[in-house]
Amino acid sequence: MVTAPGVRESLFLRACRRESVERTPVWFMRQAGRYMAEYRALRQNYTLLQLCRTPDLATEVTLQPVRRIDVDAAILFSDLLIPLEPMGIPFDFIKGEGPAIERPIRSAADIDAVKVVDPRDALGYTFAAIRQIKGELGGRIPLIGFAGAPFTLASYAIEGGHSNNFALTKSLMYGDPAAWHRFADKLATVVGDYLVAQIDAGADVVQVFDSWVGALNENDYREFALPHTRKIFETIGGRAPTIHFGVASGSILHVMREAGGDVLGADWRIPLDDAWGRIGYDRGIQGNLDPTLLLGPRDRLLSAAADVLARAANRPGHIFNLGHGILPMTPVENVQAVARYVREHSAR
Ligand code: CP3
């Protein structure tokens, strides 16, 4: 699918290409979700996985924030773990606990049983949703597709759910590097193909979430994560602009850059100007307001947004966002207020 000319010249895509813009584009990670009453209402009737796997529902949820908040991009409603199931790693979401992998990956034999599938066969509902969302957006704003990077996906598959220290993941990585690399390569193959298929279905930009990669130091990132994440960006091969995001990744941003990404995401632990200096001004940056500030008070929230804009200093290539996703208890009005603030205070 060819990106409509209007979308190509949108603020968001121009910022991804580090072209000059009239004002800074803004969107929010997890802009769809439980902080919105209309999302909670749908969740009364459907599970999270039903929302992800039913194109009509995924389309509706993707558009909910677009109707309420002045965002410059929509993001596909899906979840990071979606590709694991066809690879033979089924999971569910448990209320109040998050993801739960049915049979966590713990051994070389488990890894050898993981299937490298063609996402075009296995995940057709995602591409159907993308086509439907693109139709509904009618070229007004671009659509972001996404997937997880190998380290973050592997950590869920190995830990079985959320982890604070990634002990099982690192034990496998250090204890059997060859098996780790086979697993990460399988994930990179599927994720690379999945993102290309999302672009073919109409995604204008894709974001690679390596949310938990901040658990690695630079040497371990280079050895265990970088080659696999790089393979994903090489597979995408410039078909669409790319965003590469991690949490608590300030100390490895300069190496994540080597793996790929036209735009690198930064969280709030590092000032935006420091982060951009580490990344280099030949790449864009996305971020980096602390999502907790959205809980209030309003004056502190807006002065923090002003600080992010000041540190970006109107350089081409800044996309305003949070340092991580919107929290469930966030008042919608505060999200609306930040979007409005960025629109009004970033005019060039
Ligand atoms: O609006 C958007 O940003 C798109 C939707 C989106 C979801 N998950 C929906 C979702 C995106 C981009 C994701 C990515 C995702 N999923 C990541 C990477 C981004 C990040 O937050 O670091 C990760 C690590 C996951 C895995 C995941 N999914 C976890 C850990 C959880 C539970 C945590 C929680 O907030 O409860 C989920 C569930 C999930 N995925 C929800 C949503 C809206 C929770 C809502 C629900 O239960 O209805």
Side-chain angles (χ1 to χ4, degrees):
M1 191 167 183
V2 179
T3 295
V7 167
R8 238 196 90 75
E9 293 311 316
S10 63
L11 287 172
F12 183 74
L13 286 191
R14 274 154 57 207
C16 288
R17 299 192 296 263
R18 284 181 303 105
E19 295 169 10
S20 66
V21 285
E22 305 86 77
R23 63 166 178 81
T24 305
V26 51
W27 71 282
F28 301 94
M29 289 187 278
R30 289 271 169 97
Q31 62 191 21
R34 286 162 294 184
Y35 77 107
M36 281 200 168
E38 51 272 53
Y39 178 86
R40 293 194 300 271
L42 264 185
R43 284 281 278 111
Q44 296 284 319
N45 299 323
Y46 304 100
T47 66
L48 175 59
L49 284 173
Q50 284 173 319
L51 297 183
C52 295
R53 289 173 178 158
T54 314
D56 283 345
L57 296 172
T59 300
E60 167 57 22
V61 179
T62 299
L63 295 175
Q64 284 176 346
V66 173
R67 295 187 195 113
R68 289 282 289 278
I69 302 157
D70 267 336
V71 284
D72 294 299
I75 179 162
L76 167 71
F77 189 80
S78 182
D79 193 80
L80 210 69
L81 304 184
I82 286 291
L84 293 181
E85 194 253 350
M87 297 181 76
I89 311 173
F91 63 90
D92 205 350
F93 288 98
I94 315 291
K95 195 171 165 54
E97 289 176 39
I101 306 288
E102 278 177 29
R103 295 179 305 279
I105 301 291
R106 297 281 162 81
S107 67
D110 294 341
I111 286 169
D112 293 331
V114 170
K115 293 182 283 223
V116 176
V117 290
D118 184 345
R120 288 177 204 264
D121 301 330
L123 300 169
Y125 52 83
T126 300
F127 315 121
I130 290 174
R131 287 188 290 270
Q132 198 171 333
I133 296 161
K134 285 290 288 179
E136 298 268 348
L137 288 173
R140 286 190 302 279
I141 50 172
L143 175 65
I144 303 166
F146 73 90
F151 177 80
T152 293
L153 281 177
S155 76
Y156 279 106
I158 295 167
E159 305 289 337
H162 188 69
S163 167
N164 292 322
N165 51 23
F166 302 96
L168 296 166
T169 307
K170 290 184 179 183
S171 296
L172 197 150
M173 212 170 77
Y174 299 138
D176 193 346
W180 165 268
H181 285 296
R182 284 202 302 283
F183 189 25
D185 185 65
K186 286 182 177 190
L187 291 165
T189 301
V190 172
V191 166
D193 292 346
Y194 184 42
L195 289 173
V196 169
Q198 290 187 31
I199 295 165
D200 288 344
D204 300 293
V205 173
V206 289
Q207 175 156 328
V208 175
F209 284 93
D210 208 350
S211 301
W212 309 137
V213 78
L216 297 180
N217 65 31
E218 177 176 339
N219 284 341
D220 286 348
Y221 182 82
R222 284 190 188 281
E223 181 173 349
F224 296 110
L226 187 145
H228 307 293
T229 302
R230 177 182 278 152
K231 174 172 161 167
I232 293 170
F233 286 102
E234 285 174 355
T235 302
I236 295 165
R239 284 175 176 83
T242 52
I243 305 172
H244 185 185
F245 168 77
V247 180
S249 58
S251 67
I252 57 168
L253 279 171
H254 60 295
V255 208
M256 289 177 70
R257 163 212 158 94
E258 288 178 35
D262 298 303
V263 177
L264 276 286
D267 88 353
W268 65 92
R269 292 172 179 84
I270 177 169
L272 186 118
D273 46 344
D274 285 5
W276 212 343
R278 293 185 77 94
I279 294 162
Y281 294 112
D282 59 339
R283 303 286 179 93
I285 190 165
Q286 176 172 282
N288 70 340
L289 190 76
D290 185 337
T292 323
L293 286 163
L294 284 168
L295 304 182
R298 187 71 64 88
D299 53 348
R300 191 164 190 111
L301 168 63
L302 297 184
S303 63
D307 182 65
V308 170
L309 289 175
R311 290 177 190 277
N314 284 352
R315 281 178 195 273
H318 177 222
I319 296 164
F320 191 98
N321 204 315
L322 307 174
H324 201 180
I326 294 179
L327 298 165
M329 58 291 240
T330 301
V332 179
E333 311 78 65
N334 285 353
V335 185
Q336 291 168 325
V338 174
R340 204 178 319 119
Y341 185 89
V342 172
R343 286 177 169 251
E344 288 170 2
H345 292 82
S346 66
R348 309 293 197 258

